[in-house]
Amino acid sequence: MRVPMIAGNWKMNTTVSEAMELVNEIRQELDEIDNVDKVLCPPFVSLAAVKELIKGSSIKLGAQNIYFEQKGAYTGEISPLMLAELCEFVIIGHSERRQYFNETGEIINKKVKAALKVGLKPILCIGESFKENEAGRTEEVITEQLRSALAGIKYPNGSVIAYEPVWAIGTGKAATGEQANKTIGFIRQTIYRKYCTRVAQETRILYGGSVTASNIAEFIQQSEIDGALVGGASLKAGEFLSIVKQTSEIGVFERD
Ligand code: PGA
């Protein structure tokens, strides 16, 4: 049985004090919901402060990026070893990193390997662009993104996959539940073909892209969708709490 997950990707928003304020607003209510994995992914500079605030609660912590070397002369980078002390998850391969920071499949693969090596669980983001979607190339693009990201990885220990169609991120134009369910079903098939039934059944696959309190139910009701990676709406306390609460009410059923 896969436990639903809602992860909040705060992106490059919130100063340390704003991050602490937001956590203080949502901490108690989030903690009381025990049938959903709740993951907060604040900016690097707030990880330690947020970790302290959620200590003793059921809320989990994730980073938004990682470098693939464990240590050394890489000015400005953050290593897997550093993150392993602070958090459980790390977002890898987000489309904004692919687009603005030229992250290739090869780099993403190195990052996934480096994270797994120190016990961090990747939240691996994949998804097609608008053009690729229009051209009917969604499955082809996703197959290639999965192939390159997971190349040489024997067992993706606890990894989570987030299907985020690029055209739906930050645009207010979410995919439909049905569309997302179909593609996520395809992703699960691809994981099954690369690994085995057990890995396909235990891997959580989230939807991401303009998820709000108004549309979360549509996604959570689908059989293949195990939760959401939420950007903009995760910065609003009430909105994020509502997303997690609705997931808790609808999303907990036998998923296999
Ligand atoms: P959004 O972002 O919810 O603001 O569309 C999602 C994401 O980029 O993870």
Side-chain angles (χ1 to χ4, degrees):
M1 179 162 165
R2 300 186 294 276
V3 177
M5 174 187 285
I6 299 292
N9 174 12
W10 295 2
K11 307 194 180 184
M12 199 177 72
N13 296 293
T14 66
T15 61
V16 177
S17 49
E18 286 166 350
M20 291 171 74
E21 208 174 295
L22 181 52
V23 174
N24 280 328
E25 276 181 77
I26 58 182
R27 200 190 88 105
Q28 194 182 339
E29 281 183 73
L30 277 188
D31 187 31
E32 283 163 6
I33 297 168
D34 58 7
N35 55 6
V36 175
D37 268 354
K38 304 133 300 191
V39 184
L40 304 180
C41 306
F44 283 134
V45 292
S46 297
L47 282 172
V50 172
K51 182 182 166 72
E52 199 52 36
L53 285 178
I54 61 176
K55 210 187 232 170
S57 80
S58 57
I59 303 167
K60 299 179 175 185
L61 197 56
Q64 297 175 18
N65 185 28
I66 193 171
Y67 192 55
F68 50 74
E69 295 291 349
Q70 303 293 344
K71 62 177 181 175
Y74 302 99
T75 303
E77 292 299 318
I78 306 286
S79 94
L81 279 174
M82 298 170 190
L83 290 180
E85 240 183 47
L86 289 168
C87 52
E88 182 175 342
F89 294 93
V90 57
I91 297 173
I92 298 178
H94 191 281
S95 69
E96 286 150 16
R97 298 223 49 97
R98 295 179 193 252
Q99 189 183 341
Y100 305 132
F101 303 98
N102 304 318
E103 287 197 9
T104 60
E106 197 184 327
I107 292 173
I108 290 162
N109 178 240
K110 284 187 185 175
K111 291 186 170 191
V112 172
K113 282 179 177 159
L116 289 171
K117 195 169 172 192
V118 296
L120 281 165
K121 296 172 188 157
I123 300 178
L124 171 65
C125 301
I126 56 174
E128 83 287 1
S129 69
F130 179 71
K131 254 196 186 157
E132 290 160 344
N133 183 281
E134 287 283 285
R137 294 182 51 220
T138 299
E139 294 190 353
E140 175 198 331
V141 170
I142 274 166
T143 304
E144 172 51 25
Q145 287 175 338
L146 282 173
R147 188 203 60 73
S148 58
L150 299 173
I153 293 167
K154 285 209 181 71
Y155 179 61
N157 207 355
S159 296
V160 175
I161 295 173
Y163 168 56
E164 301 205 302
V166 179
W167 47 271
I169 297 176
T171 58
K173 243 184 63 184
T176 65
E178 224 169 86
Q179 269 175 329
N181 195 53
K182 181 166 170 273
T183 306
I184 288 177
F186 175 78
I187 293 169
R188 201 175 301 286
Q189 273 300 312
T190 310
I191 295 294
Y192 163 72
R193 281 197 298 271
K194 177 168 170 73
Y195 295 103
C196 58
T197 309
R198 187 166 69 90
V199 173
Q201 280 179 350
E202 72 188 15
T203 301
R204 284 180 289 188
I205 311 180
L206 317 179
Y207 167 76
S210 297
V211 170
T212 63
S214 316
N215 64 18
I216 183 68
E218 184 183 339
F219 297 107
I220 291 301
Q221 276 157 4
Q222 307 287 334
S223 60
E224 296 288 349
I225 304 180
D226 300 315
L229 181 55
V230 184
S234 70
L235 293 165
K236 300 175 197 143
E239 184 93 6
F240 190 65
L241 283 172
S242 170
I243 290 171
V244 177
K245 276 183 199 155
Q246 291 182 60
T247 303
S248 160
E249 281 155 21
I250 308 167
V252 184
F253 54 84
E254 203 71 28
R255 289 163 181 275
D256 54 14

